[in-house]
């Protein structure tokens, strides 16, 4: 059965870290196989068709994911920076101009997709929302999200799941 992905991060690079769930307990791998990563890219809207993912690209993707997770949670390690920079500085193909003067984008491969995830992370970590990257407040949830709310007091990955459970617990405590 296919695992469902979560999309609460607000940014592709943040959602990518959610492909490993329950980090504080028994980590749950949502992309156990290279093909699952291909599906993630399609469902994330980063690729129209599921790209074919080689075993090597898959391992590199997992390495990038873990480096991103550590950087998003405040750990700055030289090795992690190197991983992210290796991808973010990778040259990417620009659009082609057609005879109708339209921009045509060449199909991106997995390496190009990893590069765009790394660039998204650099943009996030150096942008106005850099200090708004948070971990869900629920004990058993390790999802990260970017709190883009005006007040910046969002506590849960989602009000439908962890937020709703916390609300229920508060009601019960009052009874
Ligand atoms: Zn949560």
């Amino acid at each position: 059965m296919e695992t469902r992905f979560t999309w609460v991060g607000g940014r592709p690079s943040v959602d990518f870290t959610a492909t490993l769930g329950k980090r504080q307990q028994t980590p749950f791998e949502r992309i156990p196989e290279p093909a699952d990563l291909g599906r993630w890219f399609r469902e994330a809207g980063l690729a129209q068709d599921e790209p074919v993912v080689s075993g090597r690209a898959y391992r590199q993707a997992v390495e990038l994911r873990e480096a991103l997770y550590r950087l998003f949670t405040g750990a700055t390690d030289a090795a992690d920076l190197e991983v992210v920079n290796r991808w973010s500085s990778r040259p990417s193909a620009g659009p082609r101009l057609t005879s109708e003067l339209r921009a045509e984008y060449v199909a991106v491969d997995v390496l190009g997709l990893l590069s765009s995830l790394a660039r998204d992370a650099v943009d996030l970590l150096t942008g106005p929302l850099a200090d708004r990257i948070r971990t869900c407040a629920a004990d058993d949830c390790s999802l990260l999200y970017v709190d883009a709310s005006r007040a910046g007091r969002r506590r849960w990955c989602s009000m439908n799941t962890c937020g709703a459970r916390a609300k229920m617990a508060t009601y019960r405590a009052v009874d």
Side-chain angles (χ1 to χ4, degrees), residues 8-9 132-136 144-147 154-157:
V8 298
R132 293 287 197 93
I133 307 168
R134 313 223 201 282
T135 301
C136 178
L144 301 182
Y145 59 87
V146 177
D147 181 359
R154 183 175 152 193
R155 296 189 60 206
W156 316 105
C157 63

Side-chain angles (χ1 to χ4, degrees), residues 51-69:
V52 177
V53 181
S54 69
R56 179 176 152 80
Y58 172 76
R59 286 189 297 277
Q60 289 175 314
V62 171
E63 179 189 45
L64 173 63
R65 177 185 71 185
E66 296 312 303
L68 291 177
Y69 181 81

Side-chain angles (χ1 to χ4, degrees), residues 8 22 135-145 155-159 161-163 165:
V8 298
K22 306 272 178 204
T135 301
C136 178
D139 290 338
D140 58 349
C141 178
S142 61
L143 292 178
L144 301 182
Y145 59 87
R155 296 189 60 206
W156 316 105
C157 63
S158 160
M159 279 317 292
T161 54
C162 295
R165 269 196 295 140

Side-chain angles (χ1 to χ4, degrees), residues 7-8 46 48 53 58 73 96 98 117 130 134 159:
W7 309 103
V8 298
L46 298 172
Q48 281 199 318
V53 181
Y58 172 76
T73 51
R96 290 182 65 244
T98 68
L117 286 177
R134 313 223 201 282
M159 279 317 292

